[in-house]
Amino acid sequence: MASAPRLDPGPIKVDHGDRPRRPDTSPMAPLGETLTKLRGLARDYQSQLAANPQRVMMRQKFVDHRQKNGPAALREMDQYMGRGSAQPTLFGPAGPAVGLPSLRPQFGGEAKPSAVLSDKQHQEWSRDTRHFGLIFAPENRMRDDQLVSMTRAAMGALARAVGERLEWRAVAHHDTDHSHVHVMLRGRKMDSGQALYLDKEHLAKTREAAVAQATKSLGPAKDDPAKRREDERDEKRAPRAREGQAR
């Protein structure tokens, strides 16, 4: 059988004018410029958040059960928070926000407010020496989910400042131009069972967390020097935590 013919390619000629070139990097330049611009915009936005945080008013109330009947004081706050005219939304430290049921007609056609505390909670809290009420009122309108996140961030910061878990129930009210949150806070720490005392540092950290979460949800506030001066006056008039709360 005849063998296959042998192919001799001959000498390979290389044209040095056609040497492989390095990839042209110029198409990457616009991407790099875009990334640099985005990083700059992110830094500017963070600066705006720091310079113009959202405004959140916070108020605190201390109720001494030995000076005012504990069960009656709790019932009074419970009824105010759960009144149907405020279109309340009930929530706690965890889980979804739950809308309170509509007012139920009583005998004679009168309306009964929805309960914020369970019967068990009412009995346990009534035996404590105190309870607290907190109000968070953001200047700009927030959705229910944003109000819940803001409140949980604030109460989480308060628990960390105190150093123990806290028991609380909250209701968002929608009967004003700007929705706000009422918090009923038990006057006893959950882990040690000791009475709860709040000082100015605790409250400052609570408000800072509320402001930070509101700013995260809504973005930076519009800078208004006149409004800021008003905020400063409100802070000076705001009730302070009672020093040396009765033990």
Side-chain angles (χ1 to χ4, degrees):
M1 178 180 294
S3 61
R6 186 174 180 181
L7 300 178
D8 185 0
I12 298 176
K13 296 181 179 180
V14 178
D15 185 349
H16 295 287
D18 294 331
R19 289 178 180 175
R21 299 180 181 180
R22 297 180 61 184
D24 187 358
T25 57
S26 58
M28 299 295 290
L31 177 59
E33 293 173 1
T34 301
L35 292 175
T36 300
K37 184 179 295 185
L38 289 175
R39 284 193 290 266
L41 292 174
R43 286 193 297 269
D44 291 344
Y45 184 72
Q46 291 299 323
S47 298
Q48 292 180 31
L49 291 178
N52 300 302
Q54 289 290 326
R55 302 174 185 93
V56 179
M57 183 194 75
M58 191 185 87
R59 294 289 184 265
Q60 177 257 345
K61 179 181 181 181
F62 166 66
V63 182
D64 191 333
H65 292 182
R66 291 167 294 187
Q67 295 182 2
K68 185 174 183 180
N69 182 275
L74 283 169
R75 192 175 300 109
E76 179 183 352
M77 183 176 289
D78 190 304
Q79 290 177 348
Y80 176 79
M81 290 172 60
R83 70 188 194 280
S85 60
Q87 305 169 38
T89 301
L90 172 67
F91 62 96
V98 179
L100 286 169
S102 302
L103 294 178
R104 296 179 294 277
Q106 286 182 306
F107 295 107
E110 295 182 359
K112 178 182 178 182
S114 300
V116 175
L117 295 180
S118 66
D119 291 340
K120 180 181 179 181
Q121 286 175 319
H122 194 279
Q123 293 173 5
E124 292 176 345
W125 292 31
S126 295
R127 291 194 291 267
D128 298 335
T129 59
R130 70 201 53 220
H131 74 271
F132 298 87
L134 298 172
I135 301 175
F136 298 100
E139 180 185 36
N140 293 311
R141 181 174 292 278
M142 299 179 74
R143 302 188 309 268
D144 265 351
D145 61 315
Q146 294 171 330
L147 291 169
V148 170
S149 297
M150 178 192 68
T151 305
R152 287 177 174 164
M155 298 306 293
L158 177 58
R160 290 190 294 273
V162 170
E164 292 196 34
R165 292 178 301 150
L166 302 176
E167 188 174 358
W168 55 271
R169 298 288 275 172
V171 169
H173 281 180
H174 308 285
D175 56 339
T176 61
D177 291 339
H178 300 290
S179 299
H180 54 282
V181 177
H182 292 267
V183 178
M184 194 185 306
L185 172 62
R186 185 178 183 180
R188 183 175 297 277
K189 303 174 186 177
M190 291 185 66
D191 298 319
S192 65
Q194 297 176 343
L196 174 64
Y197 304 97
L198 301 180
D199 58 29
K200 286 189 281 189
E201 183 179 354
H202 294 150
L203 296 176
K205 291 184 179 298
T206 304
R207 184 177 180 276
E208 288 172 5
V211 168
Q213 183 60 41
T215 305
K216 181 179 179 181
S217 295
L218 300 178
K222 294 181 180 179
D223 191 19
D224 186 343
K227 187 66 179 177
R228 291 194 177 280
R229 288 193 295 271
E230 182 180 340
D231 291 342
E232 292 173 0
R233 289 195 297 270
D234 287 344
E235 286 299 317
K236 292 178 180 179
R237 291 195 297 262
R240 303 294 182 181
R242 289 182 53 177
E243 297 289 349
Q245 294 166 6
R247 296 175 183 272

